[in-house]
Amino acid sequence: MAFRGKLRRDQKREDTVRRNERIRIPKVRVVDEDGEQLGVLDTRDALDRARERGLDLVEVAPNADPPVCKIMDYGKFKFQQQKKLQEAKKKQTVIKIKEVKFRPKTDEHDYQTKLKQIVKFLEGGDRCKVTVFFRGREIVHKDRGVLVLDRVVEDTQELAKVESKPVAEGRTMTMMLAPGKK
């Protein structure tokens, strides 16, 4: 019975790399396990050579003319690919954006607490989005929001650089800080 729809949960996807009997092209260019070219061979002959050595015939360049196949241990090849993928994942860094919200009337103690949070985020290597919210009639005094953001820039100038200048959008004013100057 052929199942043509989506895969069920218990079914695994097939590998995208064709190997051994799945290679259906009549002639392929063959490279042995040491990297030496054996030339263009019939697929059956190449498969026989791989089996004599106890290895697999793996299609490495399917778009070439004729396709290139290599005689190798497929399990070992797959394991090495997995290791490379893990190493690449370890080396990548994820930069998070943290947000700190102010109001134009934020009191001194609250300001200092939020400033400590911003400093902590920046020292941790994260970017920080500083937002000033305006409620009700506070929207008339956008200059106060600009003053708050300017003060944040001034207080964090030793360890941060302004990535985007203050921008007013509706009832909010935002600015991005990135860790920079150390």
Side-chain angles (χ1 to χ4, degrees):
M1 180 177 117
F3 184 72
R4 295 183 186 265
K6 289 185 179 179
L7 294 175
R8 294 189 318 254
R9 284 186 201 160
D10 58 334
Q11 289 178 320
K12 289 186 178 179
R13 289 198 177 273
E14 294 291 326
D15 288 330
T16 56
V17 179
R18 285 186 281 197
R19 64 186 188 281
N20 298 334
E21 287 82 22
R22 293 213 172 133
I23 302 171
R24 303 239 165 113
I25 292 103
K27 292 196 180 277
V28 290
R29 183 174 306 278
V30 182
V31 179
D32 70 357
E33 66 271 15
D34 299 324
E36 294 180 36
Q37 296 226 3
L38 302 178
V40 179
L41 302 172
D42 287 334
T43 306
R44 290 182 192 268
D45 294 338
L47 195 54
D48 290 339
R49 286 191 186 196
R51 288 215 174 107
E52 285 173 11
R53 299 174 186 177
L55 299 171
D56 300 305
L57 184 67
V58 181
E59 192 175 49
V60 244
N63 297 332
D65 187 33
V68 179
C69 294
K70 188 169 183 178
I71 296 173
M72 67 171 86
D73 182 0
Y74 182 70
K76 187 176 178 182
F77 169 70
K78 202 169 172 186
F79 176 76
Q80 288 171 343
Q81 275 188 330
Q82 196 88 24
K83 282 290 182 190
K84 284 180 188 174
L85 201 66
Q86 285 177 348
E87 284 298 316
K89 237 180 191 178
K90 279 183 189 176
K91 290 179 184 174
Q92 79 182 15
T93 56
V94 178
I95 299 173
K96 296 176 185 164
I97 298 176
K98 306 285 189 167
E99 185 174 14
V100 178
K101 299 176 183 178
F102 288 92
R103 296 268 318 280
K105 294 181 181 177
T106 302
D107 223 15
E108 183 60 29
H109 181 264
D110 296 335
Y111 173 82
Q112 291 301 326
T113 304
K114 291 178 185 221
L115 186 66
K116 284 180 189 173
Q117 280 298 112
I118 292 172
V119 169
K120 183 176 130 188
F121 294 150
L122 292 169
E123 286 175 346
D126 296 325
R127 290 168 43 199
C128 190
K129 180 178 180 181
V130 183
T131 307
V132 178
F133 276 102
F134 298 97
R135 282 199 202 149
R137 293 187 180 172
E138 290 176 351
I139 196 76
V140 178
H141 303 287
K142 286 198 177 189
D143 56 321
R144 284 192 174 183
V146 172
L147 289 174
V148 170
L149 294 177
D150 287 344
R151 185 173 170 200
V152 169
V153 169
E154 191 176 304
D155 291 342
T156 60
Q157 68 185 9
E158 291 90 38
L159 53 106
K161 60 182 177 190
V162 178
E163 202 169 79
S164 68
K165 299 278 183 198
V167 177
E169 301 168 3
R171 294 196 163 273
T172 63
M173 189 175 285
T174 58
M175 165 181 74
M176 288 295 292
L177 296 175
K181 305 168 187 172
K182 291 261 176 166

